[in-house]
Amino acid sequence: IFFYYYGTMGIVEMGWRPEGSRYAIGFWGYSSRVDDLVDVDSQQNPVQRPSQGAYVLAESTLWKGHSGRSLAGFVRYAINDGDSTAIRSIVNTGIVVNNPFSGHGGDALGLAYTHAALSDKYRAFQDSAGKPTSAYESAWELNYRVKLGESFAVQPLVQWHQYPGGGRAVSGATVVGVRMELSF
């Protein structure tokens, strides 16, 4: 069992890792109560509630080829109380091809999908402020990580979002970016 603590949120994760795989279940909760998104007390102050959730994940090498090539996949599902956060549940899934064009070098080509269901309270809060929301936000991401030496990597990416931020004003958006990684 692993226990992580940072800020005001504690995470407990239980998992196992067979060769090339990782499976885990985790629970989290803030150590102090947080504002409810909608409910108020008699003085019109937000009701203070515990905020907690859980998740499961599975990551596995699906295929290993010659010269370091491999295909890995993952799926994660998380859920929380929906009283204090915009997202009620989220699912992420994807695949990664390691060394897709050569048998070494540490390059990786990835494709991922995320679907986030918005909480009813968040949607009610946004609607009351005149900002109608969708029931969800989803996104596809395609990226390619290029390792440039022992300590530096560049990862250009493109994302396609449906209902970005959960709003209904924009039905779709494309994001182009780059991540850079420097290891010491």
Side-chain angles (χ1 to χ4, degrees), residues 7 48 64 72 100 125 139 144 156:
Q48 299 290 296
K64 275 190 170 186
F125 176 75
Y144 187 75

Side-chain angles (χ1 to χ4, degrees), residues 109-153:
L109 175 65
L111 177 66
Y113 175 73
T114 297
H115 182 88
L118 299 178
S119 73
D120 291 339
K121 285 191 175 181
Y122 175 76
R123 293 182 70 211
F125 176 75
Q126 292 294 92
D127 287 346
S128 71
K131 300 176 183 175
T133 61
S134 169
Y136 67 94
E137 175 183 6
S138 64
W140 285 94
E141 178 176 315
L142 178 64
N143 63 63
Y144 187 75
R145 182 179 181 269
V146 180
K147 191 169 180 185
L148 303 171
E150 290 299 314
S151 61
F152 186 66

Side-chain angles (χ1 to χ4, degrees), residues 15 18 23 34 59 63 65 74 76 78 81 83-84 86 94 102-103 129 135 164 170:
Y23 305 93
V34 297
E59 303 168 351
W63 171 80
F74 68 90
R76 297 179 194 115
D81 54 70
D83 291 326
S84 60
S102 66
V170 177

